[in-house]
Structures are given as C-alpha cells and as structure tokens.
C-alpha cells in the first residue's frame, strides 16, 4: 500500500502504455432490460455482466477480436472488433431470444457523456462510500467544483452558485426540496433513493439547452427497471432502508419500491448543545413501468415523505478565545421546536417510438409540500473568563462573567405549495444529426404565512435592531427613551401564483474532420413567466438562452478529447427568490443571467497496466441582474432585488482510476474565486466563495483477505465568508469561517457477493450480497463550524463571534443484504 501511495505523486509524469484496449458497455434484452450474469469471452479471457448489465474486458489492440456474448436464456451473439492501442470502447448490445447474431462492428464510438462534459457515477460506489448523509449528494461533494461545509445537509454549491441554482432530475422529471429548512439537521432524507438508482450523471456547468433554467449544475438520475424479483435491506444506527423489486413473467410490468427511515440523533447528540432530540424522517417511493408493446412504454413515479423534527435544547458550553485569554459561552435553554415537512410527489411519463428515428414523450407531474416551522426557545447565557490554571481546582470553569443576557426566539411559519408540470418532448434522428425539442407548462401555487420575531437583551437592556433608525442606546450609562422593539420582526401573508411556459430546441451532430472525431451541439431555450396573487400583480417576462458545445477527439496515439461549451444562462426567480428579507413578495424580480464558458480536456491513459483518466476544466461566469442573498447554515434570504453583478472563475481537476485493481477511486482539486458588486460599492466575496477544495474517494481491500474492504471519503474546503451577524452589511463584515476538514471511513466484511458465491447447501447461498461493516464519521475528530453565534457585551460594546460546531467523531454499524 505504501508503494501505491508513493507512486500517486508521480501520476502526471509516469505513464505506462500497453498494446491493449478495453471494451465495455451494457447488455440488454429485447425489452431493454439489463442482462445479469451474461458471459463475455475472447479466447481465454472472459468476464460476466453485473446486476446493471455492465461488463468490461481487456482485449489486444490492432487485432480483429471476436467477442462472444452469451446467456443461458438468450441466444448468443458474436461480434468482431478492432480497437486502437489504449482505447476505451463502449459497446452496448441487445441479446435476443430467437436468433443468433454474428456481425462486425464499425467503430463509431458513442461517447455522449464524455464529449458533453458529463460525469458518470457508479450507483454501487454511492451505496458503499460512508458519509453522515450517505447518498448521491455525499459523492458529489468529493467532486471538484462542488462545495459545502455541512455534513448534516444534502445541499451543495457548484462553482460559486448557491443551493437554489442546481437542477435535479429523476427519470427526466424535475424534483424539488422543502422551502423552510434552515439547518442541515432538519433535512432528513434526500429525494433520491440510492437503492433504486441505475444511472447518475452530473454536469457542473456548460450544459445543454434541453436542461432547465438554472445557473450552476444538473444532476440527472435514472431509476432502474428490474428484470426479476429482488430485495435489498440496509440497517445502521442512523436508520434503515428496504427496497423490493418485481417483474412479470412477460416483462411487461415492473415495480421497484423503496422505504427509508432516518434518525439523526446519533450525529446531533455529538454536537456541543445537549438536547432532547426526536427526529422522524421517513419516505416511500415507487417506480412502476408498463410496456404493452415495443413502441409504447408507460411509467409512474410516486413519493410520500414526512420529516418530523422535535427539538428541545437543554444547555451548551463553548470554549473559544486564545490560550492566554480563554473565554466560554454558557447557555441554558427553555422551550422547544416542532417542525413538520410533508411532501407528496407523483409523475406520469409515456414514451412512444413513432419509428426508429422519431420518439415522443409526455410527462406530467405534481409536487405538494405542507411545511410548518414552530418554535419558542429562550436562551439565557453567560459570557465569561475560563480558569486556565492547570493546578487549580476550578480548571476549565468560568470564574468571572463579563456579559449576561438572554434571547427569546419565536416562530409560527406555515407554507403550502403546489407545483404542477406538463411537458411534451421529441427526438428526431437522421444520419449523424439529431434534433431534440420540448415544450413545458408549470403552475406554482404558493400560500405562505410568516410570523417570526426575536428579542435580545444584555444584562437586562433590550437590544435594538441594526436595520432601522432608532435613538442611540447608551445603556447602562444613560437611560434609553426610545421605543422598545424586537431585534427582528417578520410578519407577512403571501398568496402567490406563478405561471411559466418554457421550451427548447437543440441540434446534435457527429462528424469527421479528416481522421478526427467532431461533436457539435447548438440549442436555445425560452422561458416566459408571470407572478400574480392577492395584492400581487407582476408583469410578464421572457428570456432566451442560447447554448452550444463543441468537442474534438484528435487522431492521436494518446487518448485525448478537448471540449468548449457555454452560452447565456438564465434563472427566472422561484418563490423563495421573490420574497425579500422582510417576507414581502416582489413580483417583478428579473431573472439572474450568466454568460458561461468552460474549456475542458479529458486524458485517458494506462498506469500500472490499469486505466486512469484525468479531467481538467477551467471556467468563467459573468453574472448580471444578480439577486444578492445571505446564507445562514442552509437558509437563504434574498434581497429580491437585481441590484448586483458578479463573476466566478476557477479550475477543476479530477484524476480517477483503479489505484487498487478492481476498484474505482479518485482525487479532485478545485480552485474558485467568486465576487459580487452590490449597487456599485465595489467587489466583495460572495457567500459561496470557497477558494480551495481537495477531495479523495478511495477504495481498498486486504490483498490476502479480499472480503475485507475499506472506503475513505475525505474533503478539505477553505472557509466561507459566513462569520458575520444577522442583518449585517456584508461590506462591513467579511470574516470567514474556519476551514472545513472531514474524513469518513468505512470498514466492511463481505460474507458473500457475486464474486464469492457459495456452494449449494450453504446458508449464505440464498443471499446475493451480505456484508457487515463499521463506519467512523469525522475520523480525525475535526472541529468544523457552520455559523457564529454573536454575543454582545453591553459594557465594552464588543461583539464576540462564538462558533457553532458541527458533529464530532461518531461510530456506527451497518448491515447490507440483497436477496
């Protein structure tokens, strides 16, 4: 292992090339279902396909190779290939039940994902890699350009954008997240159920016109269609999940249903605040497909989710300051918080193949969320000096209190949102050309009541809010004669409707320029929307977003591909972007827009006789009509005013490959700089200006005991500019939080899987997979802070930023089972 890590540092200079190539792909049956345990052979070499129908095989280069694809229940196929040295060729085949297939393949390698700059992630990797919030988002956070600083949240920021600037699709259907969530520990479950996933594609920018109107990224997920009965069970101290899949004998009907339960108390109880915490996060998802004939396919995706967050804080002590002048914040709490997030989601999709070159799709979906955020919490605090004398009997205790105060927070916030979508999409192919188009209507019906206030006093003196003009408070030296008002007070009732019409058309072409492969994509999106409602009368607005991609794969000995992509991207405001910091809806907020350009290079090579790929991208965004916002934990508050301009620039590098034979690992590095200029007052760092990012995802096993496996998920991010008090002028406060350092490790023993199938009569024979593991979250017990609590000393007029720490080291057991 030591040798492997040493060689890693020479990755950019030491390459080993062999006169071999690799063929890989997915094997399907006539119903487009993945074929598991199919045999792929060439002379003495052979492999089998996995549960997703995926296979990979190394064959000689510059030699015509006859590959045989066979399966017990399907007719065999023989295909002749001739590949170039070091080439990675994707070949997908359909095995039929009534005829043998023999033929020669013309190499027109279909590398859509690679030329489009899309990152493809293995669902198996998602399920194996540990994390406090394991799932798709947990893996995304190890990629370059994807930043975060809260392991309890599934939210992520991409290349300078915020959490609201990311598109998420499941089976081509856009999905949403709750509106009122303000902290990571309230989120519970991500929408995506990893037990149901087949494909995961991610683009960090420069994506095509067929994707929606957001500024930052696209996460495109496809749920799988099962071919037979199966079940998967996962259980740990953080909760559990169960997925059951079925298929009819004729393969026309398929279902896959997943049930999940999440309990974050193990993680939250490791934080500095002692609490009575009872989270109940659960959901049920089901994906049903019906294929009556070869031309028509119907499907339904449904989800019911309920997050109940009951929180009763008791006490807290946080030590900070310096070694010479240690300070402690002691807090005693009264009260509780009761939050509820109940969502219903249903989507119907039909796909009709008019002919081999023309396909039509119709998609209709509805999303309904009912959310409440109720809390009354009284915090009585002391700020004092800590006894730092090692020989003292009171070592570590607070000897002198220099500030005493209290804070009372109250909220009765309710939101009811209904979002309905109807969409028609088409795809036409002719020779090397493809035309795609789509038209979509969206109706958003929002009913929102906001009742929230906060009162703060220090040593009995009420503190005035910093955002309104009041007489100067010189207490305790002079009496205060002005009005007593809450430190913050938000009251609003909004009934808003948003009607949207959007559409796109794009053209794809693959061609040759001499011996070089060329890919071109040109498209345009249009979006029109209007905001209306009680006492709300907005004007209709329209945007047009032209986008393009160009890629070239030179006919070189080295496997390289070059890309350039970009265009004009718009983000018409969602309801949250229309609501200002006082809760008022401003219906005429314009769409934020960004001119985006991405230059990329993919370099595939062999090292240690194993495949590796280095992906490099540089990008630049110029943003106008920017809607400034503040970020507190995961809560975003917009100014609802297009009064700023901004830019983002950076470099992303990712090296992935088989550092350990048979496993996929990667290293990533990202540099980002993003700044904004509000009302021409000068450029300052945006709330997501996370300058440096390092990520490692590593898989390994014990050579002599391959059933013992290890997984490591390591992330380092520099601090965000998030250390300022609420309502502070960002030009006065540009303090940064401390750097985020996090390592999660998993160790498991695999009793049985496809590679270690047991003989008949063994009790493990009934399991496809069975493993038991230990997970260690925050392996090195780093103290990461998500925000600061600001405490005011009325006598010295000083404010102290007390860090709010995230989770400490936590241990958990995890059981995985597949039938």
């Amino acid at each position: 292992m030591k040798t492997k890590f040493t060689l890693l540092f020479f990755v950019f200079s030491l390459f080993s090339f062999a006169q071999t190539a690799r063929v890989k792909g997915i094997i399907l049956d006539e119903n487009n279902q993945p074929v598991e345990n199919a045999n792929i052979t060439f002379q003495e070499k052979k492999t089998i396909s996995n549960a997703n129908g995926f296979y990979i095989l190394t064959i000689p280069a510059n030699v015509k190779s006859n590959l045989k694809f066979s399966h017990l229940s399907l007719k065999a196929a023989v295909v002749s290939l001739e590949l170039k040295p070091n080439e990675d060729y994707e070949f997908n085949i359909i095995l039929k039940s009534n005829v043998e297939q023999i033929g020669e393949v013309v190499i027109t390698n279909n590398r859509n994902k690679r030329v489009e700059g899309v990152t493809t992630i293995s669902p198996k990797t998602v399920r194996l890699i540990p994390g406090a919030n394991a799932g798709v988002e947990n893996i995304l956070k190890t990629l370059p350009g994807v930043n975060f600083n809260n392991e309890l949240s599934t939210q992520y920021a991409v290349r300078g954008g915020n959490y609201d600037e990311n598109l998420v699709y499941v089976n081509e259907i856009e999905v949403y997240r709750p509106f009122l969530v303000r902290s990571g520990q309230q989120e519970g479950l991500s929408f995506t159920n990893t037990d149901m996933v087949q494909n995961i594609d991610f683009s960090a920018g420069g994506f095509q016109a067929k994707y929606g109107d957001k500024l930052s990224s696209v996460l495109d997920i496809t749920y799988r269609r099962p071919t037979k009965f199966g079940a998967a069970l996962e259980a740990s101290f953080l909760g559990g999940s169960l997925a059951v899949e079925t298929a009819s004998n004729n393969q026309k009907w398929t279902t896959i249903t997943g049930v999940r339960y999440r309990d974050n108390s193990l993680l939250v109880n490791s934080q500095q605040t002692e609490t009575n915490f009872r989270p109940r996060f659960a959901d049920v998802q089901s994906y049903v497909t019906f294929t009556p004939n070869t031309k028509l396919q119907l499907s339904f995706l449904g989800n019911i989710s309920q997050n109940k967050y009951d929180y009763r804080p008791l006490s807290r002590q946080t030590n900070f300051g310096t070694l010479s002048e240690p300070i402690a914040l002691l807090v005693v709490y009264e009260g509780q918080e009761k939050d509820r997030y109940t969502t219903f989601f249903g989507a119907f999709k039909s796909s009709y193949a008019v002919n081999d070159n023309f396909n039509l799709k119709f998609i209709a979906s509805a999303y309904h969320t009912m959310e409440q955020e109720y809390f009354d919490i009284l915090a009585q605090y002391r700020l004092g000096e800590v006894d730092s004398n090692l020989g003292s009997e009171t070592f570590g205790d607070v000897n002198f209190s220099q500030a005493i105060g209290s804070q009372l927070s109250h909220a009765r916030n309710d939101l009811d949102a209904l979002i309905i979508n109807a969409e028609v999409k088409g795809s036409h192919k002719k020779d090397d050309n493809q035309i795609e188009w789509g038209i979509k209507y969206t109706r958003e019906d929002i009913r929102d009541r906001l009742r929230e206030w906060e009162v703060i006093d220090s040593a009995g003196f009420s503190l005035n809010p910093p955002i309104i003009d009041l007489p100067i408070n010189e207490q305790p030296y002079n009496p205060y004669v002005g009005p007593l008002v809450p430190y913050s007070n938000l009251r609003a009732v909004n009934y808003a409707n948003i009607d949207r019409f959007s559409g796109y058309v794009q053209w794809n072409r693959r061609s040759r320029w001499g011996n070089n492969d060329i890919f071109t994509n040109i498209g345009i999106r249009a979006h029109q929307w209007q905001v209306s409602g009680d006492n709300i009368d907005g004007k209709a607005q329209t945007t047009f977003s032209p986008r393009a991609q160009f890629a070239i794969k030179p006919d070189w000995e080295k496997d390289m591909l070059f890309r350039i992509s970009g265009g004009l991207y718009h983000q018409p405001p969602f309801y949250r972007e229309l609501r200002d910091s006082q809760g008022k809806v401003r219906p005429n907020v314009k769409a934020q827009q960004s001119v985006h350009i991405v230059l990329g290079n993919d370099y595939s090579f062999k090292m240690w006789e194993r495949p590796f790929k280095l992906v490099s991208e540089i990008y630049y965004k110029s943003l106008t009509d920017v809607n400034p916002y503040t970020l507190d934990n995961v809560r975003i508050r917009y100014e609802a005013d297009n009064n700023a301009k901004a830019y983002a620039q950076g470099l992303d590098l990712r090296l992935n490959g088989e550092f350990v034979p048979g496993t996929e690992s990667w290293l990533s590095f990202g540099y980002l700089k993003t700044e904004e200029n509000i009302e021409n007052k000068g450029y300052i760092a945006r709330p997501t200006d996370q300058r440096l990012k390092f990520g490692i995802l590593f898989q390994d096993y014990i050579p002599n005991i391959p059933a013992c496996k290890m997984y490591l998920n390591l992330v380092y991010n520099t601090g965000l500019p998030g250390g300022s008090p609420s309502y502070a002028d960002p030009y006065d406060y540009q303090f940064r939080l401390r750097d985020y350092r996090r390592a999660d490790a998993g160790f498991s023993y695999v009793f049985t899987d496809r590679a270690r199938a047991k003989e008949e009569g063994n009790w493990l024979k009934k399991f496809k997979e069975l493993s038991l593991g230990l997970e260690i979250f925050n392996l090195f017990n780093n103290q990461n802070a998500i925000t600061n609590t600001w405490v005011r000393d009325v006598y010295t007029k000083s404010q102290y930023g007390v860090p709010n720490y995230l989770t400490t080291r936590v241990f958990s057991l995890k059981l995985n089972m597949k039938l």
Side-chain angles (χ1 to χ4, degrees):
M1 291 302 298
K2 182 178 180 180
T3 303
K4 295 175 185 176
F5 283 106
T6 302
L7 288 174
L8 182 61
F9 293 100
F10 297 94
V11 68
F12 296 105
S13 57
L14 298 180
F15 302 121
S16 176
F17 296 95
Q19 296 299 308
T20 59
R22 297 204 314 172
V23 58
K24 60 185 178 181
I26 297 176
I27 303 174
L28 303 172
D29 61 17
E30 292 171 294
N31 296 314
N32 286 326
Q33 299 300 307
V35 178
E36 184 180 2
N37 292 327
N39 296 298
I40 304 94
T41 58
F42 168 72
Q43 296 179 357
E44 301 300 322
K45 298 182 178 182
K46 62 181 179 180
T47 188
I48 62 173
S49 59
N50 63 15
N52 296 321
F54 179 79
Y55 73 93
I56 188 167
L57 184 67
T58 300
I59 61 176
N62 294 328
V63 175
K64 184 172 289 188
S65 305
N66 293 321
L67 271 67
K68 182 177 181 180
F69 299 81
S70 61
H71 190 268
L72 290 175
S73 61
L74 299 168
K75 295 294 184 179
V78 178
V79 177
S80 183
L81 295 171
E82 184 173 347
L83 304 182
K84 298 177 182 179
N86 204 45
E87 182 174 2
D88 247 3
Y89 176 61
E90 181 181 337
F91 178 67
N92 303 320
I93 189 171
I94 296 177
L95 296 183
K96 299 182 179 180
S97 58
N98 57 356
V99 62
E100 299 241 1
Q101 304 167 75
I102 299 177
E104 185 168 319
V105 175
V106 179
I107 307 296
T108 58
N109 197 350
N110 184 11
R111 301 180 177 184
N112 282 345
K113 306 296 173 58
R114 188 178 179 191
V115 300
E116 294 172 8
V118 173
T119 300
T120 300
I121 302 172
S122 165
K124 183 178 181 181
T125 301
V126 171
R127 290 189 286 267
L128 291 175
I129 299 303
N133 238 326
V136 176
E137 296 84 0
N138 180 51
I139 300 299
L140 291 183
K141 293 174 180 179
T142 66
L143 298 178
V146 181
N147 298 316
F148 75 110
N149 65 337
N150 186 349
E151 67 271 5
L152 292 174
S153 172
T154 59
Q155 305 307 313
Y156 52 91
V158 179
R159 293 180 176 175
N162 66 30
Y163 308 141
D164 292 336
E165 297 180 13
N166 305 310
L167 285 162
V168 180
Y169 292 98
V170 175
N171 292 350
E172 300 184 89
I173 302 158
E174 186 174 358
V175 298
Y176 306 88
R177 69 184 184 99
F179 290 73
L180 295 182
V181 171
R182 66 174 68 199
S183 68
Q185 63 196 44
Q186 296 173 340
E187 286 188 25
L189 296 164
S190 164
F191 180 92
T192 306
N193 188 327
T194 55
D195 291 329
M196 302 169 65
V197 170
Q198 176 161 332
N199 295 317
I200 304 170
D201 295 329
F202 178 74
S203 174
F207 43 86
Q208 297 179 1
K210 67 180 179 180
Y211 294 114
D213 296 285
K214 297 283 187 179
L215 293 180
S216 293
S217 73
V218 174
L219 176 62
D220 192 3
I221 294 170
T222 303
Y223 281 176
R224 70 176 183 272
R225 294 177 55 206
T227 58
K228 57 184 178 181
F229 175 81
L233 172 68
E234 179 183 299
S236 74
F237 292 158
L238 292 173
S241 65
L242 173 66
V244 178
E245 51 192 71
T246 63
S248 62
N249 292 333
N250 59 9
Q251 298 291 311
K252 289 188 175 183
W253 285 94
T254 69
T255 64
I256 180 169
T257 301
V259 180
R260 296 181 294 173
Y261 174 78
R262 175 80 177 181
D263 184 345
N264 272 348
S265 59
L266 180 69
L267 297 169
V268 175
N269 288 336
S270 74
Q271 294 179 297
Q272 58 192 342
T273 302
E274 294 185 16
T275 66
N276 287 328
F277 181 64
R278 293 187 302 150
R280 286 159 291 179
F281 306 144
D283 81 339
V284 179
Q285 281 191 47
S286 187
Y287 177 49
V288 181
T289 66
F290 175 55
T291 310
N293 52 57
T294 58
K295 287 183 173 292
L296 180 64
Q297 182 182 109
L298 307 175
S299 65
F300 173 79
L301 174 63
N303 175 73
I304 300 175
S305 173
Q306 185 172 67
N307 292 359
K308 294 184 177 181
Y309 179 82
D310 293 339
Y311 177 71
R312 187 187 295 270
L314 301 175
S315 64
R316 162 186 175 178
Q317 177 172 339
T318 304
N319 296 331
F320 62 105
T322 64
L323 290 175
S324 59
E325 296 184 3
I327 303 174
L329 174 68
L330 293 88
V331 186
V332 177
Y333 295 96
E334 295 181 26
Q336 63 181 338
E337 178 174 356
K338 287 181 174 290
D339 300 333
R340 302 288 184 269
Y341 310 97
T342 303
T343 61
F344 301 89
F345 177 82
F348 172 81
K349 177 181 174 182
S350 64
S351 179
Y352 182 69
V354 180
N355 54 50
D356 292 342
N357 297 315
F358 180 27
N359 186 273
L360 278 175
K361 295 178 182 178
F362 173 75
I363 302 172
S365 66
Y367 172 81
H368 186 202
T369 179
M370 295 173 289
E371 305 175 22
Q372 74 169 43
E373 190 179 42
Y374 292 179
F375 58 79
D376 290 281
I377 296 178
L378 172 64
Q380 297 172 308
Y381 64 87
R382 290 194 298 143
L383 188 68
E385 298 176 0
V386 178
D387 185 357
S388 58
N389 187 353
L390 291 175
S392 173
E393 294 182 357
T394 60
F395 174 73
D397 295 339
V398 176
N399 288 339
F400 173 73
S401 296
Q402 61 192 62
I404 300 174
S406 62
Q407 172 180 309
L408 176 60
S409 300
H410 166 92
R412 293 293 185 271
N413 300 330
D414 292 280
L415 184 139
D416 190 313
L418 176 64
I419 304 174
I420 299 174
N421 296 282
E423 182 177 13
V424 178
K425 303 170 70 174
S427 175
H428 308 260
K429 294 181 180 179
K430 185 175 182 181
D431 300 328
D432 295 329
N433 299 282
Q434 182 182 23
I435 301 292
E436 297 177 86
W437 56 269
I439 302 172
K440 182 178 181 180
Y441 169 71
T442 301
R443 169 78 173 188
E444 300 164 10
D445 187 352
I446 313 292
R447 302 186 178 190
D448 182 21
R449 187 192 71 166
L450 186 64
R451 293 286 188 274
E452 184 177 335
W453 51 260
E454 182 179 66
V455 176
I456 301 177
D457 76 80
S458 180
F461 307 111
S462 178
L463 298 186
N464 290 329
I467 59 173
I468 61 176
D469 187 19
L470 290 171
I472 297 176
N473 188 344
E474 294 291 343
Q475 297 181 92
Y477 307 106
N478 295 304
Y480 176 68
V481 295
L484 294 177
V485 296
Y487 189 77
S488 67
N489 186 17
L490 305 178
R491 292 180 177 272
V493 176
N494 300 314
Y495 293 88
N497 299 314
I498 308 175
D499 293 286
R500 304 181 188 272
F501 291 92
S502 61
Y504 70 90
V505 60
Q506 68 177 36
W507 166 70
N508 304 320
R509 178 176 172 81
R510 292 180 174 273
S511 58
R512 303 275 292 179
W513 180 28
N515 294 325
N516 306 307
D517 294 326
I518 302 294
F519 170 82
T520 307
N521 170 272
I522 299 175
I524 187 170
R525 285 192 67 86
H527 192 125
Q528 184 186 68
W529 75 99
Q530 185 171 12
V531 183
S532 60
D534 290 357
N535 300 316
I536 299 173
D537 186 17
K539 63 182 180 181
Q541 301 183 61
T542 305
T543 62
F544 295 93
S545 302
R547 306 173 187 178
Q549 294 181 331
F550 177 80
I552 179 170
K553 186 181 186 306
D555 184 23
W556 295 349
E557 181 180 351
K558 294 183 178 180
D559 185 1
M560 286 220 177
L561 183 140
F562 299 90
R563 288 189 310 273
I564 180 171
S565 61
L568 181 61
Y569 292 77
H570 287 93
Q571 181 162 319
F574 204 49
Y575 173 72
R576 188 168 24 235
E577 297 163 74
L578 297 170
R579 195 178 74 174
D580 65 16
S581 59
Q582 299 303 304
K584 180 181 178 181
V585 171
R586 301 185 179 182
N588 294 321
V589 173
K590 295 187 292 185
Q592 301 180 85
Q593 68 176 21
S594 170
V595 177
H596 194 179
I597 184 168
V598 182
L599 299 175
N601 170 257
D602 285 11
Y603 177 31
S604 298
F605 58 92
K606 290 287 185 66
M607 184 171 64
W608 309 316
E609 298 298 324
R610 297 194 292 274
F612 286 82
K613 180 186 288 187
L614 175 65
V615 180
S616 310
E617 289 189 336
I618 59 174
Y619 58 89
Y620 182 81
K621 302 180 186 179
S622 177
L623 297 97
T624 54
D625 292 328
V626 173
N627 189 350
Y629 61 90
T630 60
L631 184 61
D632 182 12
N633 204 307
V634 299
R635 188 186 195 189
I636 299 175
R637 284 181 171 175
Y638 291 92
E639 289 189 13
D641 192 0
N642 305 100
N643 61 341
K645 56 185 177 181
Y647 72 88
Q649 61 188 28
L651 167 68
D652 289 344
L653 300 173
R654 177 171 174 256
L655 173 69
N656 73 296
E658 296 183 11
F659 292 100
V660 176
T663 67
E664 182 184 19
S665 302
W666 61 70
L667 308 175
S668 61
F669 166 77
Y671 165 76
L672 163 70
K673 183 178 182 181
T674 180
E675 294 183 324
E676 62 186 359
N677 183 352
I678 304 174
E679 296 179 346
N680 292 319
K681 291 189 291 185
Y683 280 94
I684 57 172
R686 303 191 79 195
T688 53
D689 184 38
Q690 208 155 27
R691 291 294 172 89
L692 296 178
K693 188 265 179 67
F694 296 91
I696 296 177
L697 187 145
F698 189 77
Q699 303 184 58
D700 199 0
Y701 56 85
I702 299 177
N704 296 328
I705 315 176
C708 289
K709 299 181 180 295
M710 186 276 285
Y711 311 97
L712 177 65
N713 181 1
L714 188 150
V715 173
Y716 168 81
N717 289 324
T718 54
L720 287 169
S724 57
S726 298
Y727 306 107
D729 186 340
Y731 283 86
D732 294 333
Y733 290 89
Q734 278 290 292
F735 301 116
R736 288 182 179 265
L737 297 168
R738 60 179 63 191
D739 295 350
Y740 183 89
R741 303 177 301 276
R742 177 87 182 184
D744 298 323
F747 306 88
S748 68
Y749 184 83
V750 180
F751 296 97
T752 184
D753 62 8
R754 195 168 290 105
R756 280 167 283 276
K758 302 300 181 180
E759 65 278 0
E760 292 293 339
N762 191 304
W763 68 276
L764 291 172
K765 182 66 177 178
K766 67 181 70 174
F767 298 101
K768 289 182 180 179
E769 292 182 19
L770 181 64
S771 65
L772 180 65
L774 170 68
E775 294 182 321
I776 307 176
F777 306 120
N778 199 357
L779 179 65
F780 303 115
N781 202 28
N782 293 311
Q783 281 192 318
N784 296 309
I786 182 63
T787 55
N788 284 333
T789 294
W790 290 85
V791 181
R792 183 175 183 268
D793 180 0
V794 71
Y795 290 99
T796 65
K797 305 297 183 183
S798 299
Q799 287 197 96
Y800 295 90
V802 184
N804 296 315
Y805 294 119
L806 290 164
T807 59
T808 60
R809 185 188 296 118
V810 173
F811 297 85
S812 178
L813 292 177
K814 186 177 181 180
L815 173 69
N816 284 288
M817 181 189 308
K818 279 191 176 182
L819 299 175

